[in-house]
Amino acid sequence: MLELRPGCECCNTDLPGDSADALICSFECTFCRNCATKLAMRCPNCGGELVSRPRRSAEKLVNNPASTTRTYHPQGCA
């Protein structure tokens, strides 16, 4: 099951489990749409393609909540 990480690794923007603005790579590194665009849709960690993260419906989030553990790089993603 996807972790659904709660925020962008570059800018720390909140990305709830039902967010349409979350993008991930195959390792589940998570970025907001704005940062992903600046990164040319490539993960700065692994070089993988960033794609839209599947959304989890509100009723499914009740029993299968998103992760609360943030991965944030304060220096940003250059």
Side-chain angles (χ1 to χ4, degrees), residues 53-69:
R53 180 181 73 187
R55 290 177 273 176
R56 195 170 293 162
S57 65
E59 61 270 5
K60 296 297 182 186
L61 283 167
V62 172
N63 291 324
N64 300 285
S67 173
T68 57
T69 304

Side-chain angles (χ1 to χ4, degrees), residues 27-51:
F27 291 98
E28 294 187 57
C29 300
T30 305
F31 303 92
C32 69
R33 190 165 301 281
N34 186 45
C35 288
T37 300
K38 291 176 185 175
L39 295 167
M41 304 303 279
R42 290 282 166 202
C43 178
N45 303 319
C46 69
E49 177 185 21
L50 294 173
V51 297

Side-chain angles (χ1 to χ4, degrees), residues 2-23:
L2 288 174
E3 285 184 35
L4 299 180
R5 296 177 186 171
C8 176
E9 290 189 23
C10 289
C11 68
N12 211 27
T13 295
D14 288 339
L15 296 168
D18 60 354
S19 175
D21 289 326
L23 289 96

